[in-house]
Amino acid sequence: MARVNHADFATVQVREGMAHLSFDLGSGNTSVSIPRIINDAHWHKIRVWRDKQQGILTVDGRYSKHTVSPKKADILDVVGMLYVGGLPLNYTTKRIGPVLNTHTHRHTHARTLDMENPVSSYRVGSCFTNPEPGSYFDGTGYAKAVATYRVGNDMSVDLEFRTSSSSGVLLAISSQKMDGVGIELNNGRLLFHADNGVGRVSAWHSVTAHKLKHRLELIVDGKKSEAASPDARSASADTNDPVYVGGYLGAPVKPLP
């Protein structure tokens, strides 16, 4: 927020990963920062409080610093426009200094700001209303969850996931030969594959997957889907290879072999 000529202004910014407060009441600039890194993808609470010439900056209710404006001016004389998150592209910052528009999720309380209905906005979206635990896989991102794993006769997998993609690898274990199992999305269908060395069998639409020797079971919302290899003697998928969750070796997503 600022006066038209920026003789008075106040700004709260993240600079070099730290919260920074700066203001001028018309008789000289003063500023203060908290030496705590806050650009760490975690939620943080910033509180700014000013009483006449004194300004106080607090982070997470634990770390606090104050500053005092020079001389005797004690009124912040600014126009009635408060910007949150950045400044318009044609806004001349003058004495405020370089301002970087931020990419953050935030909850704001200043008086009571209605962030759902601002006077105007530019590239502003909504936060997740209910942050939840879990792992996020971006594109072909993947995690090698287990270094070596032998599928053998039996195997059970439980997955809970959410995605906007129609195709992608959810889990893959594959030997250098033919043996392996895989769970994938392929054009919107959820597929479960297994190869015990004599050819691939597949079942689809599953959240819980069981490999029982040469048989496969998938259960979606209580509904079971089954498949079986025609050769009951081939019961073990002989792997000793990584288990990948998400993308597969960083390669573009494609149907599993």
Side-chain angles (χ1 to χ4, degrees), residues 119-224:
V119 175
S120 64
S121 65
Y122 174 69
R123 297 182 67 178
V124 176
S126 297
C127 296
F128 293 108
T129 56
N130 295 304
E132 57 190 1
S135 298
Y136 174 72
F137 296 88
D138 185 5
T140 56
Y142 69 93
K144 184 186 291 186
V146 180
T148 59
Y149 181 78
R150 185 175 187 274
V151 174
N153 288 340
D154 303 330
M155 171 185 173
S156 295
V157 177
D158 288 295
L159 290 176
E160 183 174 321
F161 69 94
R162 209 166 47 167
T163 182
S164 58
S165 300
S166 60
S167 298
V169 177
L170 299 179
L171 182 141
I173 311 169
S174 181
S175 71
Q176 297 299 313
K177 298 179 181 179
M178 296 177 62
D179 297 30
V181 298
I183 304 174
E184 66 169 328
L185 280 171
N186 190 341
N187 294 323
R189 294 191 305 161
L190 190 56
L191 305 176
F192 180 33
H193 311 292
D195 193 331
N196 293 334
V198 293
R200 186 182 73 174
V201 291
S202 300
W204 56 285
H205 294 301
S206 174
V207 173
T208 300
H210 299 285
K211 177 187 179 298
L212 305 170
K213 295 182 173 63
H214 69 292
R215 296 187 300 109
L216 303 181
E217 293 181 355
L218 294 94
I219 302 171
V220 176
D221 298 329
K223 296 182 179 180
K224 183 184 294 185

Side-chain angles (χ1 to χ4, degrees), residues 68-88:
V68 178
S69 176
K71 301 181 180 178
K72 296 182 178 181
D74 59 7
I75 296 176
L76 181 61
D77 186 11
V78 296
V79 297
M81 187 65 70
L82 172 65
Y83 293 101
V84 177
L87 294 170

